[in-house]
Amino acid sequence: MKKLLCMLLMGTMTLSLAGCGGSKDDAGAGETGSSSGAESSSEAGSSEEGGSEEIATAQEGKLIMATNAEFPPYEFYEGDEIVGIDAEIAAAVAEELGLELQIEDMAFDAIITAVTSGKADIGAAGMTVTPDREENVSFTDTYAEASQVVIVPEGSEIASPDDLAGKKIGVQLGTTGDIYSADVEDATVERYNKGFEAVQSLQSGKIDAVVIDEQPAKVFVEQNEGLEILPDKFTEEEYAIACAKDNTALVEKINGALESLRESGELDEIVSKYIAADSDSAE
C-alpha cells in the first residue's frame, strides 16, 4: 500500500514539474527576457524621457563626457566646476535625451581612447573632425566652426604662418595644432600636455611660436602681456562630438538634440555667451 501511494505521489510531482517548467526553448526565452531587462538598465532614458530607450550608455541614466578642461572658453575650471561652451552644450544635449551629464577631465590625447573603450559616452573638447580621428570614432554634426592661429611675442619676425618654417613651434599634445604643425618645413615641434604650458615656454623664449585654437589663444594673449595673435589663420576647421564607432543610435539622438537646440536658438546663445564675452575682454 505504501509503495502504491509513493508511486502515485511521484507521478503527480512529475506532471506538476512539467507544467511549470515548459519546454527547453520556452525556458531559454524566459532567460533572454530577464537578461534583456538587466541590460536595459544601462540604456539611456525611456520613451517618456526623450525617446532614447535604445541608447546604450556607460552608466544608467548618465551621459559621460570626456574632455580636457584646459581649453577656455570651450571647457575650463570655475572653482571646482568644469564650465564652458562644450560643457553647456553637452548638458543641454543630455537634458534633451533625459540623461544626467557627468564630465570627466583627462589629457586631450586620452579622450578618444576613453570613448572607444566605453569608459565615456562622448568626447567634447573643441575637437576637430579629421580623417584620422574618423577612423576611430564617429562624429556628430558640427556645432561650431573654429580656426588654428599662431601666437608670437610682440615684434616677432614671424609675421604669417609661412614664416614658421625652421622655427620651434609649441603645441598641445594630440590637438590639430600638433598634427598640422608637423607638416611645417624644417620646424621643431615641442609638445605640451596643456596649452598654457606652451604659452609659458613662449614667454620664456624656449620656443618661437604657439599654434592653438583661436578662442583659447585669445584668452592666453589677454592673460599674458607681450604676446599677440597673427592676423592670418593657420587652419580653418569644424568642431563636433565624438562617439563610439558602433553607437550610431547615440550619434543620431545627439544630432536630433543639436538640431532642436539650433532651432530654438539655445545653441547660439551658449556659444555667444562665452565667445562674445571673451572677444569684448580681449579688445
Side-chain angles (χ1 to χ4, degrees), residues 47-250:
S47 57
E48 296 177 355
E49 297 175 332
S52 53
E53 70 277 9
E54 73 276 16
I55 302 175
T57 56
Q59 291 186 30
E60 179 183 0
K62 292 186 177 182
L63 183 70
I64 299 178
M65 164 183 158
T67 194
N68 175 241
E70 303 286 346
F71 198 68
Y74 286 91
E75 40 271 316
F76 58 98
Y77 278 98
E78 195 169 82
D80 295 330
E81 183 183 5
I82 297 175
V83 298
I85 294 172
D86 286 335
E88 288 205 27
I89 289 176
V93 167
E95 185 176 357
E96 288 273 336
L97 302 183
L99 299 169
E100 175 190 352
L101 180 66
Q102 177 178 316
I103 304 177
E104 299 290 343
D105 186 18
M106 61 189 68
F108 185 86
D109 62 344
I111 293 173
I112 286 182
T113 300
V115 172
T116 57
S117 67
K119 292 181 180 179
D121 301 305
I122 62 172
M127 187 172 290
T128 304
V129 179
T130 67
D132 286 345
R133 288 173 181 164
E134 287 181 308
E135 290 180 4
N136 298 297
V137 295
S138 293
F139 281 102
T140 64
D141 293 339
T142 300
Y143 64 87
E145 294 181 352
S147 305
Q148 292 286 314
V149 298
V150 182
I151 304 175
V152 296
E154 292 178 350
S156 171
E157 63 179 15
I158 300 173
S160 77
D162 293 337
D163 297 329
L164 290 172
K167 303 297 184 182
K168 288 186 178 180
I169 305 171
V171 299
Q172 185 176 0
L173 181 66
T175 63
T176 46
D178 181 0
I179 295 168
Y180 297 139
S181 292
D183 294 330
V184 177
E185 185 178 2
D186 296 328
T188 300
V189 180
E190 300 289 344
R191 296 173 172 85
Y192 301 85
N193 287 323
K194 299 177 180 180
F196 80 84
E197 292 175 350
V199 173
Q200 288 178 332
S201 289
L202 179 62
Q203 282 196 306
S204 64
K206 294 179 180 178
I207 56 178
D208 302 307
V210 171
V211 173
I212 198 166
D213 291 66
E214 183 175 23
Q215 295 307 322
K218 290 180 180 179
V219 175
F220 292 140
V221 168
E222 177 192 352
Q223 295 174 347
N224 297 274
E225 293 184 5
L227 301 179
E228 63 181 1
I229 299 171
L230 297 182
D232 294 336
K233 303 290 192 295
F234 189 70
T235 63
E236 298 281 352
E237 48 199 45
E238 297 179 335
Y239 291 162
I241 298 171
C243 302
K245 199 76 171 171
D246 59 350
N247 203 344
T248 55
L250 182 58

